[in-house]
Amino acid sequence: MSKQEVGLRTVFVSDRATARRLTKVKLVVLDGEHAGKSFEVAKSRVYVGRSRVNDITIEDSSISSTHFELRAEEDGFLLRDLGSTNGTRLGGCRIREAWLEPEVSFRAGHTTFKLTTMGEEVEIPLSRDEHFGGVIGRSVAMREVFATLSKVAPSELTCLIEGETGTGKERVARAIHDESRRQSKPYVVLDCSSIPRDLMESYVFGHEKGAFTGAVSQRTGAFEQAHGGTLFLDEIGELDISLQPKLLRVLESREFKRVGGAKTVRADCRVIAATNRDLRAMVNEGTFREDLYFRLSIVNVLLPPLRDRRDDIPLLVEHFLKDVWKSRPDRPQLRLTASAMDMLLSYTWPGNVRELRNVIVRAANLASGSAIEREDLQLGAAGLLSVASTSSTSSSMSSPGTGATSGGYEHGFSVDISEPFKDAKQEVIERFEIAYLERLMEAYEGNISQASSATGLTRYHLRELLKKYDLK
């Protein structure tokens, strides 16, 4: 069985994704202390290592605390070494990441493994909606998150939301609260990264008058403020390790005492935490408690970065432009030109959704007309994906004036200088896109999935480009 036949498979009905199906596999240990033992892999992302924080724990001193990751994707299973000490080897070569074929062995530390297919699939549901509360997205990745959130929100389960800065972790936490049975009760946010270390305990649990120098009156802490509602602990990875045992105790007993107080206070609130840090790595380093990690991650919600969900960019842009228009109803509602949208779709978005919003709000205020142009976006060139030309003539330089309409160097295409610069440039871009798409679909025999993987375009973006030029 080839790698294309395993991994994640998206099911479409009338060109709309309705579900994802994950090939169930077993991670088989071929030698070492666990020789002959196998571990079922029925999730799209599995961590393996010596520490108990992993999905699969291997008791081998040559294996790092969190050694490697197995990630199911459309192209199969991706094996990623996570900076291990003794390395991960495939075919005798130490690798950082590689697509893993079934029945092919690989080595982590001194232990050899292989993946074996089980002949079964696990169906991962996708939400029918393109939003959950205030969070929006139409991509398969986000609709998978929405399906999870719709099950989690009505429960009382503690959640840990993970993701890069700017992916919308606080919005997800708020959406969980708004869709829960506690929606009419307080929603309290405590940013663990913005509070001085010596005041953190007071902010979390409160204090009595005279508990310490400067405590001139009683203070109500975050747990009491959130009574009956939800407490959102943002950037939980920044919580000082000296306070972590006390937080763990509250989560387990639902009771605490204010600083300097003797009275026990009941904590009746749901806790949601978020982090942009790798808590597994912090556990391994000894900077985050293992037992607290397990207590917070009863439900894990992983938000994908914007570069992995480019299908959502047009929807997000439309949403942000509507917000701008609502704040300035005296001006006509703006739109993006096709060239500006292409620029957004080709950007890497290191700041994720937050950066996209800032770019759109700024561009909407800078735009001189009713449309946002490419130059209004002011994106950094370092974040733009480069496109290499396949034309041999584009890299060669002829003598000035050799092209009848080029008016300068010959680049393998003609330019009509009687047209305005913007219009002439757009014509060249369109001719390039048509030629590129025709060659691409010919090379991959019309297979959208393979073509999108080869080019770095999302399937949604590729389909939209094909529709734009009426190409099959």
Side-chain angles (χ1 to χ4, degrees), residues 64-97:
S64 295
S65 297
T66 300
H67 196 106
F68 65 87
E69 171 194 12
L70 283 172
R71 184 188 301 178
E73 297 192 359
E74 294 280 347
D75 289 322
F77 279 92
L78 185 66
L79 171 65
R80 294 182 63 241
D81 182 86
L82 300 175
S84 65
T85 302
N86 293 321
T88 303
R89 298 180 183 276
L90 181 64
C93 299
R94 183 165 181 168
I95 57 103
R96 180 178 297 169
E97 62 179 37

PDB file of all heavy atoms in Angstrom, residues 64-97:
ATOM      1  N   SER A  64      14.291  10.469  23.427  1.00  0.00           N
ATOM      2  CA  SER A  64      14.078  11.743  24.122  1.00  0.00           C
ATOM      3  C   SER A  64      12.690  11.797  24.744  1.00  0.00           C
ATOM      4  O   SER A  64      11.801  11.007  24.406  1.00  0.00           O
ATOM      5  CB  SER A  64      14.261  12.908  23.147  1.00  0.00           C
ATOM      6  OG  SER A  64      15.585  12.972  22.683  1.00  0.00           O
ATOM      7  N   SER A  65      12.523  12.759  25.654  1.00  0.00           N
ATOM      8  CA  SER A  65      11.248  12.886  26.375  1.00  0.00           C
ATOM      9  C   SER A  65      10.072  12.977  25.406  1.00  0.00           C
ATOM     10  O   SER A  65       9.069  12.295  25.558  1.00  0.00           O
ATOM     11  CB  SER A  65      11.285  14.117  27.279  1.00  0.00           C
ATOM     12  OG  SER A  65      12.285  13.969  28.258  1.00  0.00           O
ATOM     13  N   THR A  66      10.175  13.856  24.411  1.00  0.00           N
ATOM     14  CA  THR A  66       9.232  13.868  23.286  1.00  0.00           C
ATOM     15  C   THR A  66      10.089  13.769  22.039  1.00  0.00           C
ATOM     16  O   THR A  66      10.731  14.743  21.648  1.00  0.00           O
ATOM     17  CB  THR A  66       8.375  15.142  23.281  1.00  0.00           C
ATOM     18  OG1 THR A  66       7.637  15.221  24.496  1.00  0.00           O
ATOM     19  CG2 THR A  66       7.394  15.130  22.121  1.00  0.00           C
ATOM     20  N   HIS A  67      10.107  12.596  21.426  1.00  0.00           N
ATOM     21  CA  HIS A  67      11.111  12.292  20.413  1.00  0.00           C
ATOM     22  C   HIS A  67      10.638  12.611  18.989  1.00  0.00           C
ATOM     23  O   HIS A  67      11.313  13.305  18.241  1.00  0.00           O
ATOM     24  CB  HIS A  67      11.495  10.813  20.498  1.00  0.00           C
ATOM     25  CG  HIS A  67      12.765  10.482  19.781  1.00  0.00           C
ATOM     26  ND1 HIS A  67      13.953  10.222  20.427  1.00  0.00           N
ATOM     27  CD2 HIS A  67      13.044  10.373  18.461  1.00  0.00           C
ATOM     28  CE1 HIS A  67      14.901   9.971  19.552  1.00  0.00           C
ATOM     29  NE2 HIS A  67      14.368  10.052  18.340  1.00  0.00           N
ATOM     30  N   PHE A  68       9.453  12.089  18.613  1.00  0.00           N
ATOM     31  CA  PHE A  68       8.970  12.339  17.254  1.00  0.00           C
ATOM     32  C   PHE A  68       7.456  12.438  17.227  1.00  0.00           C
ATOM     33  O   PHE A  68       6.767  12.091  18.195  1.00  0.00           O
ATOM     34  CB  PHE A  68       9.467  11.278  16.265  1.00  0.00           C
ATOM     35  CG  PHE A  68       8.957   9.874  16.506  1.00  0.00           C
ATOM     36  CD1 PHE A  68       7.747   9.443  15.978  1.00  0.00           C
ATOM     37  CD2 PHE A  68       9.707   8.973  17.248  1.00  0.00           C
ATOM     38  CE1 PHE A  68       7.281   8.152  16.186  1.00  0.00           C
ATOM     39  CE2 PHE A  68       9.260   7.669  17.466  1.00  0.00           C
ATOM     40  CZ  PHE A  68       8.043   7.266  16.926  1.00  0.00           C
ATOM     41  N   GLU A  69       6.975  12.919  16.112  1.00  0.00           N
ATOM     42  CA  GLU A  69       5.545  13.117  15.897  1.00  0.00           C
ATOM     43  C   GLU A  69       5.126  12.395  14.627  1.00  0.00           C
ATOM     44  O   GLU A  69       5.856  12.392  13.629  1.00  0.00           O
ATOM     45  CB  GLU A  69       5.250  14.613  15.761  1.00  0.00           C
ATOM     46  CG  GLU A  69       3.839  14.955  15.312  1.00  0.00           C
ATOM     47  CD  GLU A  69       3.708  16.407  14.875  1.00  0.00           C
ATOM     48  OE1 GLU A  69       4.745  17.090  14.710  1.00  0.00           O
ATOM     49  OE2 GLU A  69       2.561  16.837  14.682  1.00  0.00           O
ATOM     50  N   LEU A  70       3.964  11.770  14.665  1.00  0.00           N
ATOM     51  CA  LEU A  70       3.343  11.193  13.477  1.00  0.00           C
ATOM     52  C   LEU A  70       2.115  12.025  13.153  1.00  0.00           C
ATOM     53  O   LEU A  70       1.221  12.162  13.991  1.00  0.00           O
ATOM     54  CB  LEU A  70       2.939   9.734  13.715  1.00  0.00           C
ATOM     55  CG  LEU A  70       4.048   8.682  13.671  1.00  0.00           C
ATOM     56  CD1 LEU A  70       3.489   7.337  14.111  1.00  0.00           C
ATOM     57  CD2 LEU A  70       4.647   8.574  12.271  1.00  0.00           C
ATOM     58  N   ARG A  71       2.085  12.576  11.945  1.00  0.00           N
ATOM     59  CA  ARG A  71       0.972  13.445  11.569  1.00  0.00           C
ATOM     60  C   ARG A  71       0.324  12.931  10.297  1.00  0.00           C
ATOM     61  O   ARG A  71       0.991  12.763   9.274  1.00  0.00           O
ATOM     62  CB  ARG A  71       1.471  14.875  11.357  1.00  0.00           C
ATOM     63  CG  ARG A  71       0.352  15.871  11.051  1.00  0.00           C
ATOM     64  CD  ARG A  71       0.918  17.225  10.668  1.00  0.00           C
ATOM     65  NE  ARG A  71       1.736  17.792  11.711  1.00  0.00           N
ATOM     66  CZ  ARG A  71       2.367  18.963  11.600  1.00  0.00           C
ATOM     67  NH1 ARG A  71       2.281  19.644  10.478  1.00  0.00           N
ATOM     68  NH2 ARG A  71       3.103  19.415  12.589  1.00  0.00           N
ATOM     69  N   ALA A  72      -0.962  12.645  10.371  1.00  0.00           N
ATOM     70  CA  ALA A  72      -1.696  12.178   9.186  1.00  0.00           C
ATOM     71  C   ALA A  72      -2.128  13.377   8.360  1.00  0.00           C
ATOM     72  O   ALA A  72      -2.756  14.302   8.874  1.00  0.00           O
ATOM     73  CB  ALA A  72      -2.908  11.357   9.606  1.00  0.00           C
ATOM     74  N   GLU A  73      -1.786  13.358   7.067  1.00  0.00           N
ATOM     75  CA  GLU A  73      -2.183  14.422   6.163  1.00  0.00           C
ATOM     76  C   GLU A  73      -2.707  13.793   4.869  1.00  0.00           C
ATOM     77  O   GLU A  73      -2.723  12.571   4.725  1.00  0.00           O
ATOM     78  CB  GLU A  73      -1.003  15.365   5.895  1.00  0.00           C
ATOM     79  CG  GLU A  73      -0.535  16.084   7.159  1.00  0.00           C
ATOM     80  CD  GLU A  73       0.431  17.215   6.886  1.00  0.00           C
ATOM     81  OE1 GLU A  73       0.755  17.442   5.698  1.00  0.00           O
ATOM     82  OE2 GLU A  73       0.860  17.875   7.849  1.00  0.00           O
ATOM     83  N   GLU A  74      -3.128  14.655   3.950  1.00  0.00           N
ATOM     84  CA  GLU A  74      -3.711  14.160   2.700  1.00  0.00           C
ATOM     85  C   GLU A  74      -2.731  13.286   1.921  1.00  0.00           C
ATOM     86  O   GLU A  74      -3.120  12.383   1.208  1.00  0.00           O
ATOM     87  CB  GLU A  74      -4.143  15.341   1.823  1.00  0.00           C
ATOM     88  CG  GLU A  74      -5.277  16.175   2.404  1.00  0.00           C
ATOM     89  CD  GLU A  74      -6.643  15.560   2.191  1.00  0.00           C
ATOM     90  OE1 GLU A  74      -6.735  14.618   1.387  1.00  0.00           O
ATOM     91  OE2 GLU A  74      -7.605  16.024   2.827  1.00  0.00           O
ATOM     92  N   ASP A  75      -1.430  13.551   2.052  1.00  0.00           N
ATOM     93  CA  ASP A  75      -0.430  12.811   1.298  1.00  0.00           C
ATOM     94  C   ASP A  75       0.101  11.587   2.032  1.00  0.00           C
ATOM     95  O   ASP A  75       1.016  10.929   1.553  1.00  0.00           O
ATOM     96  CB  ASP A  75       0.745  13.731   0.946  1.00  0.00           C
ATOM     97  CG  ASP A  75       0.359  14.763  -0.101  1.00  0.00           C
ATOM     98  OD1 ASP A  75      -0.404  14.408  -1.007  1.00  0.00           O
ATOM     99  OD2 ASP A  75       0.811  15.910  -0.003  1.00  0.00           O
ATOM    100  N   GLY A  76      -0.429  11.293   3.203  1.00  0.00           N
ATOM    101  CA  GLY A  76       0.035  10.137   3.960  1.00  0.00           C
ATOM    102  C   GLY A  76       0.416  10.517   5.378  1.00  0.00           C
ATOM    103  O   GLY A  76      -0.096  11.493   5.936  1.00  0.00           O
ATOM    104  N   PHE A  77       1.325   9.749   5.974  1.00  0.00           N
ATOM    105  CA  PHE A  77       1.789  10.013   7.335  1.00  0.00           C
ATOM    106  C   PHE A  77       3.154  10.685   7.292  1.00  0.00           C
ATOM    107  O   PHE A  77       4.098  10.190   6.682  1.00  0.00           O
ATOM    108  CB  PHE A  77       1.874   8.717   8.146  1.00  0.00           C
ATOM    109  CG  PHE A  77       0.547   8.275   8.699  1.00  0.00           C
ATOM    110  CD1 PHE A  77      -0.259   7.410   7.983  1.00  0.00           C
ATOM    111  CD2 PHE A  77       0.105   8.744   9.928  1.00  0.00           C
ATOM    112  CE1 PHE A  77      -1.488   7.006   8.480  1.00  0.00           C
ATOM    113  CE2 PHE A  77      -1.126   8.358  10.434  1.00  0.00           C
ATOM    114  CZ  PHE A  77      -1.922   7.481   9.719  1.00  0.00           C
ATOM    115  N   LEU A  78       3.227  11.827   7.968  1.00  0.00           N
ATOM    116  CA  LEU A  78       4.473  12.583   8.037  1.00  0.00           C
ATOM    117  C   LEU A  78       5.160  12.273   9.362  1.00  0.00           C
ATOM    118  O   LEU A  78       4.576  12.418  10.428  1.00  0.00           O
ATOM    119  CB  LEU A  78       4.189  14.080   7.940  1.00  0.00           C
ATOM    120  CG  LEU A  78       5.408  15.002   7.890  1.00  0.00           C
ATOM    121  CD1 LEU A  78       6.204  14.777   6.605  1.00  0.00           C
ATOM    122  CD2 LEU A  78       4.982  16.470   7.996  1.00  0.00           C
ATOM    123  N   LEU A  79       6.402  11.823   9.275  1.00  0.00           N
ATOM    124  CA  LEU A  79       7.225  11.537  10.453  1.00  0.00           C
ATOM    125  C   LEU A  79       8.122  12.749  10.694  1.00  0.00           C
ATOM    126  O   LEU A  79       8.892  13.140   9.817  1.00  0.00           O
ATOM    127  CB  LEU A  79       8.069  10.284  10.208  1.00  0.00           C
ATOM    128  CG  LEU A  79       9.152   9.954  11.241  1.00  0.00           C
ATOM    129  CD1 LEU A  79       8.543   9.617  12.597  1.00  0.00           C
ATOM    130  CD2 LEU A  79      10.027   8.807  10.745  1.00  0.00           C
ATOM    131  N   ARG A  80       8.019  13.366  11.884  1.00  0.00           N
ATOM    132  CA  ARG A  80       8.799  14.558  12.208  1.00  0.00           C
ATOM    133  C   ARG A  80       9.603  14.341  13.485  1.00  0.00           C
ATOM    134  O   ARG A  80       9.039  14.012  14.527  1.00  0.00           O
ATOM    135  CB  ARG A  80       7.901  15.780  12.390  1.00  0.00           C
ATOM    136  CG  ARG A  80       7.184  16.240  11.152  1.00  0.00           C
ATOM    137  CD  ARG A  80       6.357  17.498  11.427  1.00  0.00           C
ATOM    138  NE  ARG A  80       7.208  18.607  11.819  1.00  0.00           N
ATOM    139  CZ  ARG A  80       7.137  19.250  12.985  1.00  0.00           C
ATOM    140  NH1 ARG A  80       6.268  18.864  13.895  1.00  0.00           N
ATOM    141  NH2 ARG A  80       7.925  20.257  13.258  1.00  0.00           N
ATOM    142  N   ASP A  81      10.910  14.497  13.378  1.00  0.00           N
ATOM    143  CA  ASP A  81      11.755  14.475  14.572  1.00  0.00           C
ATOM    144  C   ASP A  81      11.572  15.803  15.297  1.00  0.00           C
ATOM    145  O   ASP A  81      11.529  16.868  14.679  1.00  0.00           O
ATOM    146  CB  ASP A  81      13.224  14.286  14.174  1.00  0.00           C
ATOM    147  CG  ASP A  81      14.126  14.200  15.388  1.00  0.00           C
ATOM    148  OD1 ASP A  81      14.286  13.097  15.931  1.00  0.00           O
ATOM    149  OD2 ASP A  81      14.671  15.256  15.791  1.00  0.00           O
ATOM    150  N   LEU A  82      11.471  15.771  16.624  1.00  0.00           N
ATOM    151  CA  LEU A  82      11.195  16.969  17.413  1.00  0.00           C
ATOM    152  C   LEU A  82      12.432  17.435  18.171  1.00  0.00           C
ATOM    153  O   LEU A  82      12.374  17.749  19.354  1.00  0.00           O
ATOM    154  CB  LEU A  82      10.017  16.714  18.365  1.00  0.00           C
ATOM    155  CG  LEU A  82       8.704  16.347  17.670  1.00  0.00           C
ATOM    156  CD1 LEU A  82       7.635  16.002  18.687  1.00  0.00           C
ATOM    157  CD2 LEU A  82       8.229  17.492  16.768  1.00  0.00           C
ATOM    158  N   GLY A  83      13.551  17.461  17.467  1.00  0.00           N
ATOM    159  CA  GLY A  83      14.784  17.935  18.093  1.00  0.00           C
ATOM    160  C   GLY A  83      15.358  16.945  19.088  1.00  0.00           C
ATOM    161  O   GLY A  83      15.944  17.353  20.099  1.00  0.00           O
ATOM    162  N   SER A  84      15.215  15.659  18.817  1.00  0.00           N
ATOM    163  CA  SER A  84      15.681  14.625  19.736  1.00  0.00           C
ATOM    164  C   SER A  84      17.204  14.620  19.838  1.00  0.00           C
ATOM    165  O   SER A  84      17.905  15.089  18.946  1.00  0.00           O
ATOM    166  CB  SER A  84      15.199  13.248  19.270  1.00  0.00           C
ATOM    167  OG  SER A  84      15.784  12.920  18.027  1.00  0.00           O
ATOM    168  N   THR A  85      17.697  14.051  20.929  1.00  0.00           N
ATOM    169  CA  THR A  85      19.145  13.989  21.150  1.00  0.00           C
ATOM    170  C   THR A  85      19.816  12.980  20.229  1.00  0.00           C
ATOM    171  O   THR A  85      20.823  13.267  19.581  1.00  0.00           O
ATOM    172  CB  THR A  85      19.438  13.622  22.618  1.00  0.00           C
ATOM    173  OG1 THR A  85      18.830  14.598  23.463  1.00  0.00           O
ATOM    174  CG2 THR A  85      20.936  13.589  22.878  1.00  0.00           C
ATOM    175  N   ASN A  86      19.247  11.775  20.148  1.00  0.00           N
ATOM    176  CA  ASN A  86      19.875  10.694  19.373  1.00  0.00           C
ATOM    177  C   ASN A  86      19.331  10.568  17.954  1.00  0.00           C
ATOM    178  O   ASN A  86      19.788   9.716  17.199  1.00  0.00           O
ATOM    179  CB  ASN A  86      19.715   9.360  20.117  1.00  0.00           C
ATOM    180  CG  ASN A  86      20.510   9.348  21.409  1.00  0.00           C
ATOM    181  OD1 ASN A  86      21.622   9.857  21.461  1.00  0.00           O
ATOM    182  ND2 ASN A  86      19.925   8.794  22.465  1.00  0.00           N
ATOM    183  N   GLY A  87      18.349  11.394  17.619  1.00  0.00           N
ATOM    184  CA  GLY A  87      17.883  11.457  16.247  1.00  0.00           C
ATOM    185  C   GLY A  87      16.874  10.394  15.848  1.00  0.00           C
ATOM    186  O   GLY A  87      16.647   9.408  16.555  1.00  0.00           O
ATOM    187  N   THR A  88      16.245  10.657  14.701  1.00  0.00           N
ATOM    188  CA  THR A  88      15.322   9.726  14.061  1.00  0.00           C
ATOM    189  C   THR A  88      15.905   9.386  12.701  1.00  0.00           C
ATOM    190  O   THR A  88      16.268  10.290  11.945  1.00  0.00           O
ATOM    191  CB  THR A  88      13.922  10.345  13.909  1.00  0.00           C
ATOM    192  OG1 THR A  88      13.436  10.745  15.199  1.00  0.00           O
ATOM    193  CG2 THR A  88      12.951   9.358  13.288  1.00  0.00           C
ATOM    194  N   ARG A  89      15.997   8.083  12.395  1.00  0.00           N
ATOM    195  CA  ARG A  89      16.680   7.651  11.168  1.00  0.00           C
ATOM    196  C   ARG A  89      15.754   6.819  10.293  1.00  0.00           C
ATOM    197  O   ARG A  89      15.046   5.942  10.777  1.00  0.00           O
ATOM    198  CB  ARG A  89      17.937   6.854  11.511  1.00  0.00           C
ATOM    199  CG  ARG A  89      18.946   7.676  12.294  1.00  0.00           C
ATOM    200  CD  ARG A  89      20.208   6.894  12.655  1.00  0.00           C
ATOM    201  NE  ARG A  89      21.101   7.721  13.456  1.00  0.00           N
ATOM    202  CZ  ARG A  89      21.969   8.594  12.955  1.00  0.00           C
ATOM    203  NH1 ARG A  89      22.080   8.733  11.648  1.00  0.00           N
ATOM    204  NH2 ARG A  89      22.737   9.326  13.746  1.00  0.00           N
ATOM    205  N   LEU A  90      15.807   7.124   9.001  1.00  0.00           N
ATOM    206  CA  LEU A  90      15.026   6.404   8.006  1.00  0.00           C
ATOM    207  C   LEU A  90      15.974   6.018   6.885  1.00  0.00           C
ATOM    208  O   LEU A  90      16.642   6.874   6.305  1.00  0.00           O
ATOM    209  CB  LEU A  90      13.896   7.290   7.473  1.00  0.00           C
ATOM    210  CG  LEU A  90      12.959   6.688   6.427  1.00  0.00           C
ATOM    211  CD1 LEU A  90      12.181   5.517   6.999  1.00  0.00           C
ATOM    212  CD2 LEU A  90      12.002   7.758   5.914  1.00  0.00           C
ATOM    213  N   GLY A  91      16.070   4.715   6.607  1.00  0.00           N
ATOM    214  CA  GLY A  91      16.990   4.244   5.582  1.00  0.00           C
ATOM    215  C   GLY A  91      18.432   4.567   5.895  1.00  0.00           C
ATOM    216  O   GLY A  91      19.233   4.815   4.987  1.00  0.00           O
ATOM    217  N   GLY A  92      18.774   4.594   7.163  1.00  0.00           N
ATOM    218  CA  GLY A  92      20.144   4.867   7.574  1.00  0.00           C
ATOM    219  C   GLY A  92      20.500   6.340   7.649  1.00  0.00           C
ATOM    220  O   GLY A  92      21.595   6.690   8.083  1.00  0.00           O
ATOM    221  N   CYS A  93      19.576   7.221   7.234  1.00  0.00           N
ATOM    222  CA  CYS A  93      19.852   8.665   7.239  1.00  0.00           C
ATOM    223  C   CYS A  93      19.073   9.337   8.368  1.00  0.00           C
ATOM    224  O   CYS A  93      17.898   9.034   8.588  1.00  0.00           O
ATOM    225  CB  CYS A  93      19.439   9.294   5.914  1.00  0.00           C
ATOM    226  SG  CYS A  93      20.318   8.625   4.482  1.00  0.00           S
ATOM    227  N   ARG A  94      19.747  10.233   9.054  1.00  0.00           N
ATOM    228  CA  ARG A  94      19.067  10.997  10.094  1.00  0.00           C
ATOM    229  C   ARG A  94      18.184  12.038   9.422  1.00  0.00           C
ATOM    230  O   ARG A  94      18.637  12.796   8.558  1.00  0.00           O
ATOM    231  CB  ARG A  94      20.077  11.673  11.015  1.00  0.00           C
ATOM    232  CG  ARG A  94      19.436  12.429  12.175  1.00  0.00           C
ATOM    233  CD  ARG A  94      20.438  12.766  13.260  1.00  0.00           C
ATOM    234  NE  ARG A  94      19.786  13.466  14.367  1.00  0.00           N
ATOM    235  CZ  ARG A  94      20.345  13.695  15.553  1.00  0.00           C
ATOM    236  NH1 ARG A  94      21.592  13.271  15.788  1.00  0.00           N
ATOM    237  NH2 ARG A  94      19.693  14.334  16.497  1.00  0.00           N
ATOM    238  N   ILE A  95      16.919  12.073   9.803  1.00  0.00           N
ATOM    239  CA  ILE A  95      15.969  12.949   9.119  1.00  0.00           C
ATOM    240  C   ILE A  95      15.345  13.945  10.090  1.00  0.00           C
ATOM    241  O   ILE A  95      15.273  13.721  11.296  1.00  0.00           O
ATOM    242  CB  ILE A  95      14.857  12.132   8.423  1.00  0.00           C
ATOM    243  CG1 ILE A  95      14.099  11.231   9.427  1.00  0.00           C
ATOM    244  CG2 ILE A  95      15.428  11.277   7.314  1.00  0.00           C
ATOM    245  CD1 ILE A  95      12.766  11.722   9.831  1.00  0.00           C
ATOM    246  N   ARG A  96      14.907  15.057   9.511  1.00  0.00           N
ATOM    247  CA  ARG A  96      14.112  16.017  10.280  1.00  0.00           C
ATOM    248  C   ARG A  96      12.633  15.694  10.098  1.00  0.00           C
ATOM    249  O   ARG A  96      11.863  15.712  11.038  1.00  0.00           O
ATOM    250  CB  ARG A  96      14.410  17.439   9.817  1.00  0.00           C
ATOM    251  CG  ARG A  96      13.623  18.510  10.570  1.00  0.00           C
ATOM    252  CD  ARG A  96      13.991  19.905  10.101  1.00  0.00           C
ATOM    253  NE  ARG A  96      15.391  20.178  10.379  1.00  0.00           N
ATOM    254  CZ  ARG A  96      16.041  21.232   9.893  1.00  0.00           C
ATOM    255  NH1 ARG A  96      15.411  22.080   9.098  1.00  0.00           N
ATOM    256  NH2 ARG A  96      17.307  21.430  10.184  1.00  0.00           N
ATOM    257  N   GLU A  97      12.246  15.405   8.848  1.00  0.00           N
ATOM    258  CA  GLU A  97      10.886  14.955   8.579  1.00  0.00           C
ATOM    259  C   GLU A  97      10.877  14.206   7.256  1.00  0.00           C
ATOM    260  O   GLU A  97      11.723  14.437   6.385  1.00  0.00           O
ATOM    261  CB  GLU A  97       9.884  16.107   8.547  1.00  0.00           C
ATOM    262  CG  GLU A  97      10.108  17.135   7.482  1.00  0.00           C
ATOM    263  CD  GLU A  97       9.047  18.225   7.507  1.00  0.00           C
ATOM    264  OE1 GLU A  97       8.600  18.618   8.602  1.00  0.00           O
ATOM    265  OE2 GLU A  97       8.667  18.684   6.408  1.00  0.00           O
TER     266      GLU A  97
END
